[in-house]
Amino acid sequence: MNEEQLRRRRRLRRQQQRKRRRRIFYILCILFLVIIFTILRGIVAHFSRTSNHAQANVALWYIQQLDREKSGDPDRSNVFYSSIEELSNIARDKLTAFNFTLAKNSNHIQAAEKYAYSTKKIREITEGKLDYTGKKIAFLTFDDGPNNTITPQVLDTLKDRQVPATFFLVGRNLGSKHEDTLRRILREGHGIAMHSLSHDYSKLYPGRFGNADRIRYEAQETQKLLKEFFGPDFHSSVWRYPGGHQSWKELGSSDDALAKLGVQWIDWNCLVGDAQPKSDRPTTSEGQVQYVHKSLKLNKQTRIAVVLAHDAENKQLTADSVNKLIDYFKDNGYEFGILK
Ligand SMILES: [Zn+2]
């Protein structure tokens, strides 16, 4: 074998080695891609499972309600439904029916659309920025719920009188123990509004000045909790600042931050006085109605009434007054609406 042949053979061997290394490199690349793809698919599957779970949860509740209604026994326990997973197929069918009733991207069911009014418009009317000569509309609003003591009593009266209201819920109250009450609010045709996550003045308004970052965060978190209950089609555009917009300084950038989230704030133009200082707080239902009457009369525009009341756990008097409050507005020619 001469020198030339030896060189050629070595070159050939080097080429083969290079080829082999390239092949290994390609195989490793493919393996790497397969691993990445598998991981990504796992992540996506996890999130869609979580959202399916939330949806199935809503549907499960819906089936349970139908079951209770059919049996006529409100306390009927759900012995058949041992696990959400087991039910998921039926649940998803039923969920379609449930979603059908939720107006898309809104805080109310479709049936409530005919008496749902734009929060921004109603706010501007009460502020005197918009003229209004239309029909008289009362917006009953209840802050600080939900709970399982006062809220259900308020709901019972509203249902009895076929009157809708708007509930300004505090995010920290949206735990599973209030689920039934929460779903009743939506299902019985009321509007769901946000009243912060913490209701903590020191976090929301340190030194009495609005903290826009904190307020944005609390609105986002509360919205997220509501979506977990009601599914991805739910969105509340309605916000009331704890303590009221009128009570704090420099809320401009907070208002802007909320607007960017598709959320509008609203205060009130009359109140039952159930959160007034003791010396000024009515102690009877008649007193609360009188308080509404007097505070409404202080406005130039009285065709729109946004009524502040509270359904917190210590507001039994307010729950007892709802009937008389409805009488007052009906007697004075008002219809009832919800804020959207
Ligand atoms: Zn409040």
PDB file of all heavy atoms in Angstrom, residues 139-172:
ATOM      1  N   PHE A 139     -81.745  51.265  41.017  1.00  0.00           N
ATOM      2  CA  PHE A 139     -80.731  50.203  41.058  1.00  0.00           C
ATOM      3  C   PHE A 139     -80.458  49.891  42.528  1.00  0.00           C
ATOM      4  O   PHE A 139     -79.807  50.676  43.216  1.00  0.00           O
ATOM      5  CB  PHE A 139     -79.447  50.661  40.366  1.00  0.00           C
ATOM      6  CG  PHE A 139     -79.630  50.941  38.898  1.00  0.00           C
ATOM      7  CD1 PHE A 139     -80.023  52.204  38.461  1.00  0.00           C
ATOM      8  CD2 PHE A 139     -79.435  49.946  37.952  1.00  0.00           C
ATOM      9  CE1 PHE A 139     -80.219  52.461  37.111  1.00  0.00           C
ATOM     10  CE2 PHE A 139     -79.627  50.194  36.596  1.00  0.00           C
ATOM     11  CZ  PHE A 139     -80.023  51.448  36.179  1.00  0.00           C
ATOM     12  N   LEU A 140     -81.012  48.795  42.988  1.00  0.00           N
ATOM     13  CA  LEU A 140     -80.700  48.375  44.362  1.00  0.00           C
ATOM     14  C   LEU A 140     -79.311  47.752  44.330  1.00  0.00           C
ATOM     15  O   LEU A 140     -79.039  46.871  43.507  1.00  0.00           O
ATOM     16  CB  LEU A 140     -81.715  47.351  44.856  1.00  0.00           C
ATOM     17  CG  LEU A 140     -83.187  47.765  44.826  1.00  0.00           C
ATOM     18  CD1 LEU A 140     -84.063  46.644  45.391  1.00  0.00           C
ATOM     19  CD2 LEU A 140     -83.423  49.058  45.613  1.00  0.00           C
ATOM     20  N   THR A 141     -78.413  48.215  45.196  1.00  0.00           N
ATOM     21  CA  THR A 141     -77.067  47.627  45.208  1.00  0.00           C
ATOM     22  C   THR A 141     -76.716  47.184  46.632  1.00  0.00           C
ATOM     23  O   THR A 141     -77.028  47.877  47.602  1.00  0.00           O
ATOM     24  CB  THR A 141     -75.994  48.616  44.695  1.00  0.00           C
ATOM     25  OG1 THR A 141     -75.810  49.670  45.645  1.00  0.00           O
ATOM     26  CG2 THR A 141     -76.373  49.207  43.340  1.00  0.00           C
ATOM     27  N   PHE A 142     -76.128  46.019  46.712  1.00  0.00           N
ATOM     28  CA  PHE A 142     -75.758  45.449  48.014  1.00  0.00           C
ATOM     29  C   PHE A 142     -74.249  45.195  48.049  1.00  0.00           C
ATOM     30  O   PHE A 142     -73.721  44.446  47.221  1.00  0.00           O
ATOM     31  CB  PHE A 142     -76.521  44.147  48.264  1.00  0.00           C
ATOM     32  CG  PHE A 142     -78.011  44.369  48.388  1.00  0.00           C
ATOM     33  CD1 PHE A 142     -78.831  44.299  47.273  1.00  0.00           C
ATOM     34  CD2 PHE A 142     -78.573  44.686  49.617  1.00  0.00           C
ATOM     35  CE1 PHE A 142     -80.202  44.530  47.377  1.00  0.00           C
ATOM     36  CE2 PHE A 142     -79.945  44.921  49.735  1.00  0.00           C
ATOM     37  CZ  PHE A 142     -80.757  44.842  48.609  1.00  0.00           C
ATOM     38  N   ASP A 143     -73.578  45.817  48.996  1.00  0.00           N
ATOM     39  CA  ASP A 143     -72.114  45.706  49.105  1.00  0.00           C
ATOM     40  C   ASP A 143     -71.708  44.702  50.183  1.00  0.00           C
ATOM     41  O   ASP A 143     -72.448  44.483  51.140  1.00  0.00           O
ATOM     42  CB  ASP A 143     -71.509  47.060  49.499  1.00  0.00           C
ATOM     43  CG  ASP A 143     -71.544  48.052  48.353  1.00  0.00           C
ATOM     44  OD1 ASP A 143     -72.201  47.774  47.333  1.00  0.00           O
ATOM     45  OD2 ASP A 143     -70.919  49.119  48.493  1.00  0.00           O
ATOM     46  N   ASP A 144     -70.501  44.165  50.026  1.00  0.00           N
ATOM     47  CA  ASP A 144     -69.764  43.427  51.068  1.00  0.00           C
ATOM     48  C   ASP A 144     -70.089  41.929  51.177  1.00  0.00           C
ATOM     49  O   ASP A 144     -69.519  41.246  52.013  1.00  0.00           O
ATOM     50  CB  ASP A 144     -69.920  44.056  52.468  1.00  0.00           C
ATOM     51  CG  ASP A 144     -69.371  45.483  52.524  1.00  0.00           C
ATOM     52  OD1 ASP A 144     -68.715  45.892  51.541  1.00  0.00           O
ATOM     53  OD2 ASP A 144     -69.604  46.171  53.520  1.00  0.00           O
ATOM     54  N   GLY A 145     -71.018  41.409  50.333  1.00  0.00           N
ATOM     55  CA  GLY A 145     -71.304  39.969  50.358  1.00  0.00           C
ATOM     56  C   GLY A 145     -70.291  39.215  49.514  1.00  0.00           C
ATOM     57  O   GLY A 145     -69.278  39.789  49.118  1.00  0.00           O
ATOM     58  N   PRO A 146     -70.519  37.937  49.187  1.00  0.00           N
ATOM     59  CA  PRO A 146     -71.699  37.192  49.641  1.00  0.00           C
ATOM     60  C   PRO A 146     -71.426  36.491  50.980  1.00  0.00           C
ATOM     61  O   PRO A 146     -70.277  36.301  51.373  1.00  0.00           O
ATOM     62  CB  PRO A 146     -71.876  36.144  48.550  1.00  0.00           C
ATOM     63  CG  PRO A 146     -70.476  35.852  48.096  1.00  0.00           C
ATOM     64  CD  PRO A 146     -69.708  37.133  48.259  1.00  0.00           C
ATOM     65  N   ASN A 147     -72.518  36.137  51.663  1.00  0.00           N
ATOM     66  CA  ASN A 147     -72.421  35.271  52.833  1.00  0.00           C
ATOM     67  C   ASN A 147     -73.659  34.390  52.850  1.00  0.00           C
ATOM     68  O   ASN A 147     -74.518  34.521  51.973  1.00  0.00           O
ATOM     69  CB  ASN A 147     -72.305  36.120  54.110  1.00  0.00           C
ATOM     70  CG  ASN A 147     -73.450  37.099  54.204  1.00  0.00           C
ATOM     71  OD1 ASN A 147     -74.610  36.711  54.345  1.00  0.00           O
ATOM     72  ND2 ASN A 147     -73.136  38.389  54.096  1.00  0.00           N
ATOM     73  N   ASN A 148     -73.735  33.497  53.820  1.00  0.00           N
ATOM     74  CA  ASN A 148     -74.857  32.539  53.834  1.00  0.00           C
ATOM     75  C   ASN A 148     -75.917  32.897  54.862  1.00  0.00           C
ATOM     76  O   ASN A 148     -76.783  32.083  55.179  1.00  0.00           O
ATOM     77  CB  ASN A 148     -74.332  31.124  54.097  1.00  0.00           C
ATOM     78  CG  ASN A 148     -73.454  30.643  52.944  1.00  0.00           C
ATOM     79  OD1 ASN A 148     -73.624  31.093  51.819  1.00  0.00           O
ATOM     80  ND2 ASN A 148     -72.531  29.743  53.234  1.00  0.00           N
ATOM     81  N   THR A 149     -75.823  34.117  55.439  1.00  0.00           N
ATOM     82  CA  THR A 149     -76.840  34.508  56.417  1.00  0.00           C
ATOM     83  C   THR A 149     -77.748  35.601  55.843  1.00  0.00           C
ATOM     84  O   THR A 149     -78.951  35.398  55.701  1.00  0.00           O
ATOM     85  CB  THR A 149     -76.185  35.003  57.715  1.00  0.00           C
ATOM     86  OG1 THR A 149     -75.142  35.930  57.364  1.00  0.00           O
ATOM     87  CG2 THR A 149     -75.591  33.865  58.501  1.00  0.00           C
ATOM     88  N   ILE A 150     -77.147  36.739  55.486  1.00  0.00           N
ATOM     89  CA  ILE A 150     -77.950  37.879  55.030  1.00  0.00           C
ATOM     90  C   ILE A 150     -78.257  37.797  53.529  1.00  0.00           C
ATOM     91  O   ILE A 150     -79.393  38.023  53.110  1.00  0.00           O
ATOM     92  CB  ILE A 150     -77.227  39.214  55.359  1.00  0.00           C
ATOM     93  CG1 ILE A 150     -76.939  39.293  56.864  1.00  0.00           C
ATOM     94  CG2 ILE A 150     -78.060  40.401  54.899  1.00  0.00           C
ATOM     95  CD1 ILE A 150     -78.158  39.239  57.757  1.00  0.00           C
ATOM     96  N   THR A 151     -77.244  37.456  52.725  1.00  0.00           N
ATOM     97  CA  THR A 151     -77.452  37.436  51.271  1.00  0.00           C
ATOM     98  C   THR A 151     -78.647  36.553  50.859  1.00  0.00           C
ATOM     99  O   THR A 151     -79.482  37.008  50.070  1.00  0.00           O
ATOM    100  CB  THR A 151     -76.156  37.003  50.541  1.00  0.00           C
ATOM    101  OG1 THR A 151     -75.056  37.721  51.095  1.00  0.00           O
ATOM    102  CG2 THR A 151     -76.235  37.287  49.051  1.00  0.00           C
ATOM    103  N   PRO A 152     -78.768  35.323  51.384  1.00  0.00           N
ATOM    104  CA  PRO A 152     -79.923  34.506  50.973  1.00  0.00           C
ATOM    105  C   PRO A 152     -81.268  35.134  51.355  1.00  0.00           C
ATOM    106  O   PRO A 152     -82.237  35.002  50.617  1.00  0.00           O
ATOM    107  CB  PRO A 152     -79.709  33.187  51.728  1.00  0.00           C
ATOM    108  CG  PRO A 152     -78.244  33.127  51.997  1.00  0.00           C
ATOM    109  CD  PRO A 152     -77.834  34.549  52.235  1.00  0.00           C
ATOM    110  N   GLN A 153     -81.314  35.842  52.482  1.00  0.00           N
ATOM    111  CA  GLN A 153     -82.577  36.501  52.865  1.00  0.00           C
ATOM    112  C   GLN A 153     -82.935  37.600  51.865  1.00  0.00           C
ATOM    113  O   GLN A 153     -84.088  37.748  51.468  1.00  0.00           O
ATOM    114  CB  GLN A 153     -82.446  37.127  54.255  1.00  0.00           C
ATOM    115  CG  GLN A 153     -82.249  36.130  55.374  1.00  0.00           C
ATOM    116  CD  GLN A 153     -82.146  36.835  56.724  1.00  0.00           C
ATOM    117  OE1 GLN A 153     -82.984  37.644  57.082  1.00  0.00           O
ATOM    118  NE2 GLN A 153     -81.093  36.534  57.463  1.00  0.00           N
ATOM    119  N   VAL A 154     -81.906  38.372  51.479  1.00  0.00           N
ATOM    120  CA  VAL A 154     -82.122  39.436  50.486  1.00  0.00           C
ATOM    121  C   VAL A 154     -82.591  38.800  49.172  1.00  0.00           C
ATOM    122  O   VAL A 154     -83.562  39.256  48.554  1.00  0.00           O
ATOM    123  CB  VAL A 154     -80.822  40.252  50.283  1.00  0.00           C
ATOM    124  CG1 VAL A 154     -80.957  41.215  49.119  1.00  0.00           C
ATOM    125  CG2 VAL A 154     -80.461  41.008  51.558  1.00  0.00           C
ATOM    126  N   LEU A 155     -81.932  37.707  48.783  1.00  0.00           N
ATOM    127  CA  LEU A 155     -82.288  37.016  47.540  1.00  0.00           C
ATOM    128  C   LEU A 155     -83.729  36.493  47.589  1.00  0.00           C
ATOM    129  O   LEU A 155     -84.458  36.578  46.592  1.00  0.00           O
ATOM    130  CB  LEU A 155     -81.318  35.859  47.274  1.00  0.00           C
ATOM    131  CG  LEU A 155     -79.920  36.262  46.789  1.00  0.00           C
ATOM    132  CD1 LEU A 155     -78.982  35.060  46.815  1.00  0.00           C
ATOM    133  CD2 LEU A 155     -79.973  36.863  45.393  1.00  0.00           C
ATOM    134  N   ASP A 156     -84.129  35.964  48.730  1.00  0.00           N
ATOM    135  CA  ASP A 156     -85.493  35.433  48.861  1.00  0.00           C
ATOM    136  C   ASP A 156     -86.530  36.527  48.601  1.00  0.00           C
ATOM    137  O   ASP A 156     -87.495  36.320  47.865  1.00  0.00           O
ATOM    138  CB  ASP A 156     -85.712  34.850  50.271  1.00  0.00           C
ATOM    139  CG  ASP A 156     -84.975  33.521  50.452  1.00  0.00           C
ATOM    140  OD1 ASP A 156     -84.563  32.930  49.427  1.00  0.00           O
ATOM    141  OD2 ASP A 156     -84.810  33.084  51.606  1.00  0.00           O
ATOM    142  N   THR A 157     -86.308  37.686  49.227  1.00  0.00           N
ATOM    143  CA  THR A 157     -87.267  38.783  49.052  1.00  0.00           C
ATOM    144  C   THR A 157     -87.281  39.267  47.604  1.00  0.00           C
ATOM    145  O   THR A 157     -88.348  39.484  47.018  1.00  0.00           O
ATOM    146  CB  THR A 157     -86.912  39.967  49.985  1.00  0.00           C
ATOM    147  OG1 THR A 157     -86.773  39.458  51.301  1.00  0.00           O
ATOM    148  CG2 THR A 157     -87.976  41.043  49.947  1.00  0.00           C
ATOM    149  N   LEU A 158     -86.095  39.409  47.022  1.00  0.00           N
ATOM    150  CA  LEU A 158     -86.014  39.874  45.630  1.00  0.00           C
ATOM    151  C   LEU A 158     -86.736  38.897  44.705  1.00  0.00           C
ATOM    152  O   LEU A 158     -87.450  39.288  43.782  1.00  0.00           O
ATOM    153  CB  LEU A 158     -84.546  40.038  45.202  1.00  0.00           C
ATOM    154  CG  LEU A 158     -83.756  41.147  45.912  1.00  0.00           C
ATOM    155  CD1 LEU A 158     -82.277  41.068  45.522  1.00  0.00           C
ATOM    156  CD2 LEU A 158     -84.312  42.538  45.580  1.00  0.00           C
ATOM    157  N   LYS A 159     -86.557  37.606  44.986  1.00  0.00           N
ATOM    158  CA  LYS A 159     -87.182  36.582  44.152  1.00  0.00           C
ATOM    159  C   LYS A 159     -88.704  36.643  44.297  1.00  0.00           C
ATOM    160  O   LYS A 159     -89.450  36.579  43.327  1.00  0.00           O
ATOM    161  CB  LYS A 159     -86.657  35.206  44.585  1.00  0.00           C
ATOM    162  CG  LYS A 159     -86.998  34.089  43.612  1.00  0.00           C
ATOM    163  CD  LYS A 159     -86.341  32.800  44.036  1.00  0.00           C
ATOM    164  CE  LYS A 159     -86.654  31.682  43.052  1.00  0.00           C
ATOM    165  NZ  LYS A 159     -86.093  30.410  43.498  1.00  0.00           N
ATOM    166  N   ASP A 160     -89.118  36.787  45.517  1.00  0.00           N
ATOM    167  CA  ASP A 160     -90.533  36.874  45.836  1.00  0.00           C
ATOM    168  C   ASP A 160     -91.190  38.053  45.112  1.00  0.00           C
ATOM    169  O   ASP A 160     -92.293  37.939  44.579  1.00  0.00           O
ATOM    170  CB  ASP A 160     -90.638  37.059  47.360  1.00  0.00           C
ATOM    171  CG  ASP A 160     -92.016  36.750  47.859  1.00  0.00           C
ATOM    172  OD1 ASP A 160     -92.611  35.803  47.304  1.00  0.00           O
ATOM    173  OD2 ASP A 160     -92.499  37.443  48.781  1.00  0.00           O
ATOM    174  N   ARG A 161     -90.466  39.181  45.088  1.00  0.00           N
ATOM    175  CA  ARG A 161     -91.035  40.388  44.479  1.00  0.00           C
ATOM    176  C   ARG A 161     -90.665  40.529  43.009  1.00  0.00           C
ATOM    177  O   ARG A 161     -91.039  41.510  42.375  1.00  0.00           O
ATOM    178  CB  ARG A 161     -90.539  41.641  45.252  1.00  0.00           C
ATOM    179  CG  ARG A 161     -90.860  41.633  46.742  1.00  0.00           C
ATOM    180  CD  ARG A 161     -92.340  41.805  47.019  1.00  0.00           C
ATOM    181  NE  ARG A 161     -92.910  42.985  46.411  1.00  0.00           N
ATOM    182  CZ  ARG A 161     -93.000  44.188  46.981  1.00  0.00           C
ATOM    183  NH1 ARG A 161     -92.548  44.364  48.198  1.00  0.00           N
ATOM    184  NH2 ARG A 161     -93.555  45.195  46.355  1.00  0.00           N
ATOM    185  N   GLN A 162     -89.869  39.592  42.487  1.00  0.00           N
ATOM    186  CA  GLN A 162     -89.420  39.644  41.078  1.00  0.00           C
ATOM    187  C   GLN A 162     -88.688  40.952  40.780  1.00  0.00           C
ATOM    188  O   GLN A 162     -88.967  41.619  39.784  1.00  0.00           O
ATOM    189  CB  GLN A 162     -90.615  39.480  40.132  1.00  0.00           C
ATOM    190  CG  GLN A 162     -91.249  38.092  40.188  1.00  0.00           C
ATOM    191  CD  GLN A 162     -90.382  37.056  39.489  1.00  0.00           C
ATOM    192  OE1 GLN A 162     -90.155  37.129  38.282  1.00  0.00           O
ATOM    193  NE2 GLN A 162     -89.871  36.115  40.247  1.00  0.00           N
ATOM    194  N   VAL A 163     -87.779  41.304  41.675  1.00  0.00           N
ATOM    195  CA  VAL A 163     -87.010  42.546  41.525  1.00  0.00           C
ATOM    196  C   VAL A 163     -85.528  42.206  41.426  1.00  0.00           C
ATOM    197  O   VAL A 163     -85.019  41.438  42.235  1.00  0.00           O
ATOM    198  CB  VAL A 163     -87.271  43.485  42.730  1.00  0.00           C
ATOM    199  CG1 VAL A 163     -86.240  44.595  42.796  1.00  0.00           C
ATOM    200  CG2 VAL A 163     -88.671  44.086  42.645  1.00  0.00           C
ATOM    201  N   PRO A 164     -84.840  42.746  40.409  1.00  0.00           N
ATOM    202  CA  PRO A 164     -83.400  42.481  40.298  1.00  0.00           C
ATOM    203  C   PRO A 164     -82.557  43.512  41.043  1.00  0.00           C
ATOM    204  O   PRO A 164     -82.996  44.632  41.273  1.00  0.00           O
ATOM    205  CB  PRO A 164     -83.159  42.603  38.793  1.00  0.00           C
ATOM    206  CG  PRO A 164     -84.139  43.634  38.340  1.00  0.00           C
ATOM    207  CD  PRO A 164     -85.345  43.521  39.254  1.00  0.00           C
ATOM    208  N   ALA A 165     -81.344  43.112  41.402  1.00  0.00           N
ATOM    209  CA  ALA A 165     -80.421  44.013  42.097  1.00  0.00           C
ATOM    210  C   ALA A 165     -78.998  43.716  41.637  1.00  0.00           C
ATOM    211  O   ALA A 165     -78.760  42.755  40.903  1.00  0.00           O
ATOM    212  CB  ALA A 165     -80.532  43.797  43.606  1.00  0.00           C
ATOM    213  N   THR A 166     -78.060  44.562  42.072  1.00  0.00           N
ATOM    214  CA  THR A 166     -76.654  44.338  41.751  1.00  0.00           C
ATOM    215  C   THR A 166     -75.900  44.082  43.048  1.00  0.00           C
ATOM    216  O   THR A 166     -76.047  44.845  44.006  1.00  0.00           O
ATOM    217  CB  THR A 166     -76.067  45.567  41.017  1.00  0.00           C
ATOM    218  OG1 THR A 166     -76.910  45.878  39.909  1.00  0.00           O
ATOM    219  CG2 THR A 166     -74.658  45.279  40.514  1.00  0.00           C
ATOM    220  N   PHE A 167     -75.115  43.010  43.055  1.00  0.00           N
ATOM    221  CA  PHE A 167     -74.375  42.628  44.264  1.00  0.00           C
ATOM    222  C   PHE A 167     -72.895  42.939  44.078  1.00  0.00           C
ATOM    223  O   PHE A 167     -72.250  42.393  43.179  1.00  0.00           O
ATOM    224  CB  PHE A 167     -74.582  41.151  44.570  1.00  0.00           C
ATOM    225  CG  PHE A 167     -75.971  40.855  45.082  1.00  0.00           C
ATOM    226  CD1 PHE A 167     -77.039  40.709  44.208  1.00  0.00           C
ATOM    227  CD2 PHE A 167     -76.220  40.762  46.446  1.00  0.00           C
ATOM    228  CE1 PHE A 167     -78.329  40.465  44.681  1.00  0.00           C
ATOM    229  CE2 PHE A 167     -77.489  40.520  46.935  1.00  0.00           C
ATOM    230  CZ  PHE A 167     -78.549  40.373  46.053  1.00  0.00           C
ATOM    231  N   PHE A 168     -72.367  43.819  44.930  1.00  0.00           N
ATOM    232  CA  PHE A 168     -70.949  44.181  44.882  1.00  0.00           C
ATOM    233  C   PHE A 168     -70.188  43.267  45.841  1.00  0.00           C
ATOM    234  O   PHE A 168     -70.198  43.473  47.059  1.00  0.00           O
ATOM    235  CB  PHE A 168     -70.769  45.658  45.241  1.00  0.00           C
ATOM    236  CG  PHE A 168     -71.219  46.580  44.136  1.00  0.00           C
ATOM    237  CD1 PHE A 168     -72.566  46.851  43.941  1.00  0.00           C
ATOM    238  CD2 PHE A 168     -70.294  47.140  43.270  1.00  0.00           C
ATOM    239  CE1 PHE A 168     -72.989  47.670  42.895  1.00  0.00           C
ATOM    240  CE2 PHE A 168     -70.700  47.970  42.222  1.00  0.00           C
ATOM    241  CZ  PHE A 168     -72.051  48.238  42.040  1.00  0.00           C
ATOM    242  N   LEU A 169     -69.537  42.259  45.252  1.00  0.00           N
ATOM    243  CA  LEU A 169     -68.936  41.191  46.051  1.00  0.00           C
ATOM    244  C   LEU A 169     -67.482  41.481  46.390  1.00  0.00           C
ATOM    245  O   LEU A 169     -66.753  42.058  45.580  1.00  0.00           O
ATOM    246  CB  LEU A 169     -69.018  39.876  45.278  1.00  0.00           C
ATOM    247  CG  LEU A 169     -70.404  39.538  44.715  1.00  0.00           C
ATOM    248  CD1 LEU A 169     -70.326  38.290  43.855  1.00  0.00           C
ATOM    249  CD2 LEU A 169     -71.406  39.370  45.829  1.00  0.00           C
ATOM    250  N   VAL A 170     -67.086  41.051  47.562  1.00  0.00           N
ATOM    251  CA  VAL A 170     -65.688  41.191  47.979  1.00  0.00           C
ATOM    252  C   VAL A 170     -64.978  39.874  47.661  1.00  0.00           C
ATOM    253  O   VAL A 170     -65.436  38.800  48.068  1.00  0.00           O
ATOM    254  CB  VAL A 170     -65.603  41.511  49.484  1.00  0.00           C
ATOM    255  CG1 VAL A 170     -64.148  41.607  49.925  1.00  0.00           C
ATOM    256  CG2 VAL A 170     -66.337  42.810  49.787  1.00  0.00           C
ATOM    257  N   GLY A 171     -63.841  39.973  46.928  1.00  0.00           N
ATOM    258  CA  GLY A 171     -63.131  38.778  46.475  1.00  0.00           C
ATOM    259  C   GLY A 171     -62.826  37.781  47.584  1.00  0.00           C
ATOM    260  O   GLY A 171     -62.949  36.577  47.409  1.00  0.00           O
ATOM    261  N   ARG A 172     -62.443  38.300  48.759  1.00  0.00           N
ATOM    262  CA  ARG A 172     -62.039  37.381  49.840  1.00  0.00           C
ATOM    263  C   ARG A 172     -63.226  36.546  50.347  1.00  0.00           C
ATOM    264  O   ARG A 172     -63.037  35.567  51.064  1.00  0.00           O
ATOM    265  CB  ARG A 172     -61.370  38.140  50.995  1.00  0.00           C
ATOM    266  CG  ARG A 172     -62.280  39.147  51.643  1.00  0.00           C
ATOM    267  CD  ARG A 172     -61.925  39.513  53.062  1.00  0.00           C
ATOM    268  NE  ARG A 172     -63.104  40.219  53.561  1.00  0.00           N
ATOM    269  CZ  ARG A 172     -63.100  41.428  54.080  1.00  0.00           C
ATOM    270  NH1 ARG A 172     -61.980  42.078  54.237  1.00  0.00           N
ATOM    271  NH2 ARG A 172     -64.221  42.006  54.476  1.00  0.00           N
TER     272      ARG A 172
END
